Amino acid sequence: MNEIFSGLPKISYEGPDSKNPLSFKFYDADRIISGKPMKEHLHFAMAWWHNMCAAGTDMFGTVTADKSFGSVLGTMEHAYKKVDAAFEFMNKLGVDYFCFHDVDLVPEDEDIKVTNRRLDEISVYIAEKMKENGKKLLWGTANLFSNPRYMNGAGSTNSADVYCFAAAQIKKALDLTVRLGGKGYVFWGGREGYETLLNTDMKFEQENIANLMRLAVDYGRSIGFDGDFYIEPKPKEPMKHQYDFDAATAIGFLRQYGLDKDFKINIEANHATLAGHTFRHELRVAAMNGMLGSIDANQGDLLLGWDTDEFPYNVYETTMCMYEVLKAGGLKNGGFNFDAKTRRPSNTYEDMFYAYILGMDSFALGLIKASEIIEDGRVDSFIKERYESYESGIGEKIRSGKATLKELSDYAEKLGKPDIPSSGRQEYLQSIVNSILFEKN
Ligand code: XUL
Ligand code: CO
């Protein structure tokens, strides 16, 4: 078969001293870190929409990149070419997983029956390619936000007919996910929100969303889907108020509607910062609730304040992310999906390669550094010691739930005045992290 990314080689590990831009400096797939090869910690996935489809369009300008792969855009021939390109790309980068929306794979027809037939057709080809190349599906999803019918939402729409179309797309995307052996199915509620309460019944809309999720779980389980459903929180964009604001809100919603056994959370770094949180905060909230499912690995720009979907390069952030993941015992069915796009002026095939090298190296280095922070032990033991007043005496009684309010009050009165709590030592801890980050690797 003709090479699409001709002249671009298979990328291999050459180490931090290499000046070859088309090599990994830190991602050494088989290197053992914290007891497991890097590739097992980091199930990297290619996002079909950005990598195979997005061509640089923004609010003010049209495409800058050519993603036709030598065919005519919007045809089934193009859909097949994207599959060829995707597998060649994944092979060359050593990326073993991918994620898709239904409409990333085939051109959408006006009639959903035609679109569904196209999806069935392309899924046969994708399944063949997966088998031939040893690639896996991380998660599938349905795009319930681009088509004009979803202008008022999908699960939250005011139109019962549109609600049925959302259901039909979810059903087909689940069929494909199961057919391709995927272990995840994502709900990102891009249009599930509102602009003004003057026209919105918020409670009704949220109940309808929960109902659609319940129907999806029932159907998915009935066709043998044994993986995780995910909510991917995002506070805004495109809507002003999005219902899945952040991890805490999504977890509360899932518990309220009894969906928490089937769902976990897919945390996206750029969505976290849009919600006014750090990436790490969102990971911790999901993890401490036993709901850390998967990660959309990207990065935002705090000066811009919208969803820039950049390839991650901030090693401080990737280190803290990997610290959270290691502490949580890893991602079970999840992985690291590069929901990221090259900048608009980075418009060549070569740039797609540099982008993945950057992202994979940033997470590999983050993994190495997080494991060193844990092994070093100073940060963890500081945290443990910080709460040691709960290890014995009155603290132990509080911790074990045996104390009464009166008892605590009597204790306080007896003491008269407590000692000032011990120092938080933030600057000391930050300098430990820096010294681990910047020592020679
Ligand atoms: C949009 C976003 C989506 C989801 C999947 O901000 O992150 O691409 O990841 O629908
Ligand atoms: Co995402």
Side-chain angles (χ1 to χ4, degrees):
M1 193 203 306
N2 284 343
E3 238 183 311
I4 292 172
F5 301 103
S6 54
L8 289 157
K10 180 153 177 46
I11 307 300
S12 39
Y13 172 74
E14 291 187 6
D17 294 330
S18 171
K19 297 279 186 289
N20 172 8
L22 291 167
S23 72
F24 293 120
K25 315 298 177 298
F26 302 103
Y27 182 59
D28 184 4
D30 294 316
R31 177 172 165 192
I32 306 290
I33 303 285
S34 290
K36 270 201 304 197
M38 274 190 175
K39 64 176 180 223
E40 284 177 27
H41 285 283
L42 299 165
H43 286 167
F44 288 128
M46 184 201 76
W48 208 278
W49 51 105
H50 284 309
N51 211 45
M52 310 327 299
C53 310
T57 311
D58 70 11
M59 299 278 272
F60 299 94
T62 179
V63 298
T64 55
D66 179 5
K67 296 261 174 100
S68 66
F69 305 113
S71 62
V72 180
L73 295 173
T75 61
M76 275 306 275
E77 189 210 349
H78 179 229
Y80 279 93
K81 278 282 184 214
K82 285 198 287 189
V83 178
D84 292 339
F87 282 87
E88 186 186 325
F89 184 85
M90 288 189 277
N91 280 339
K92 286 186 165 172
L93 266 303
V95 169
D96 289 334
Y97 292 80
F98 63 95
C99 301
F100 71 86
H101 300 85
D102 46 2
V103 307
D104 307 333
L105 301 180
V106 294
E108 231 186 326
D109 190 77
E110 287 206 341
D111 183 339
I112 196 167
K113 289 192 292 305
V114 177
T115 312
N116 282 349
R117 270 202 301 275
R118 290 176 179 167
L119 284 167
D120 285 335
E121 186 189 321
I122 205 78
S123 72
V124 173
Y125 188 53
I126 294 175
E128 265 170 36
K129 296 285 264 186
M130 287 171 72
K131 209 163 156 216
E132 195 182 303
N133 296 284
K135 302 296 175 202
K136 287 174 257 183
L137 172 64
L138 190 69
W139 50 258
T141 188
N143 178 325
L144 307 178
F145 43 90
S146 297
N147 193 298
R149 64 177 170 255
Y150 298 120
M151 71 177 193
N152 292 337
S156 61
T157 181
N158 60 314
S159 157
D161 283 0
V162 171
Y163 193 92
C164 295
F165 275 77
Q169 276 188 253
I170 293 169
K171 177 180 175 293
K172 181 52 74 180
L174 272 167
D175 288 339
L176 255 63
T177 300
V178 170
R179 198 171 299 160
L180 301 177
K183 289 284 178 210
Y185 184 89
V186 163
F187 281 84
W188 170 59
R191 304 253 177 221
E192 314 292 33
Y194 67 91
E195 298 294 323
T196 172
L197 285 175
L198 289 174
N199 66 12
T200 302
D201 184 340
M202 182 152 69
K203 183 164 183 288
F204 180 67
E205 289 197 356
Q206 294 204 5
E207 284 165 1
N208 269 356
I209 294 169
N211 190 29
L212 190 56
M213 288 178 173
R214 166 56 52 209
L215 297 175
V217 169
D218 291 347
Y219 179 73
R221 298 305 183 212
S222 81
I223 60 165
F225 178 63
D226 60 358
D228 294 315
F229 289 88
Y230 303 119
I231 282 187
E232 183 180 322
K234 186 178 182 185
K236 58 186 170 192
E237 198 198 345
M239 299 304 273
K240 181 160 132 183
H241 300 272
Q242 281 169 204
Y243 296 135
D244 304 323
F245 189 94
D246 60 2
T249 313
I251 291 168
F253 172 88
L254 291 170
R255 287 189 178 147
Q256 182 182 353
Y257 292 103
L259 293 160
D260 50 310
K261 300 284 171 291
D262 293 287
F263 273 79
K264 288 192 162 68
I265 308 293
N266 182 37
I267 301 289
E268 177 164 325
N270 202 166
H271 296 179
T273 49
L274 285 176
H277 299 308
T278 59
F279 182 23
R280 185 179 187 188
H281 169 92
E282 286 293 84
L283 294 164
R284 179 70 64 91
V285 171
M288 73 188 202
N289 283 287
M291 292 182 91
L292 178 56
S294 198
I295 289 175
D296 269 13
N298 65 9
Q299 189 182 312
D301 185 324
L302 298 181
L303 296 184
L304 293 177
W306 65 84
D307 197 12
T308 56
D309 283 344
E310 293 173 40
F311 276 86
Y313 62 83
N314 184 330
V315 175
Y316 203 98
E317 294 290 307
T318 58
T319 300
M320 292 312 165
C321 167
M322 293 316 299
Y323 177 93
E324 295 301 322
V325 170
L326 288 175
K327 285 278 174 184
L331 304 174
K332 190 168 157 264
N333 288 325
F336 296 79
N337 168 45
F338 288 112
D339 192 353
K341 56 189 176 205
T342 53
R343 298 305 83 196
R344 193 163 184 263
S346 301
N347 59 347
T348 69
Y349 286 167
E350 204 170 328
D351 291 303
M352 293 163 66
F353 279 61
Y354 291 145
Y356 270 73
I357 291 169
L358 173 69
M360 292 163 79
D361 267 344
S362 299
F363 271 93
L365 185 52
L367 171 64
I368 295 168
K369 293 296 165 186
S371 137
E372 284 176 14
I373 292 171
I374 293 170
E375 226 162 85
D376 173 90
R378 279 175 290 173
V379 173
D380 285 339
S381 62
F382 180 83
I383 295 172
K384 190 164 182 332
E385 277 166 29
R386 189 156 179 253
Y387 297 96
E388 75 181 350
S389 69
Y390 292 90
E391 298 290 330
S392 59
I394 195 72
E396 204 279 321
K397 264 190 135 176
I398 296 170
R399 191 176 191 139
S400 56
K402 289 190 190 120
T404 66
L405 195 68
K406 166 134 189 352
E407 213 178 335
L408 302 186
S409 166
D410 290 348
Y411 180 91
E413 285 193 8
K414 199 166 151 217
L415 216 56
K417 180 174 174 288
D419 292 338
I420 289 293
S422 61
S423 163
R425 296 254 189 276
Q426 183 168 330
E427 298 77 4
Y428 155 76
L429 296 162
Q430 286 166 331
S431 94
I432 292 176
V433 172
N434 271 1
S435 66
I436 293 173
L437 276 179
F438 296 106
E439 75 192 351
K440 185 112 182 81
N441 306 296

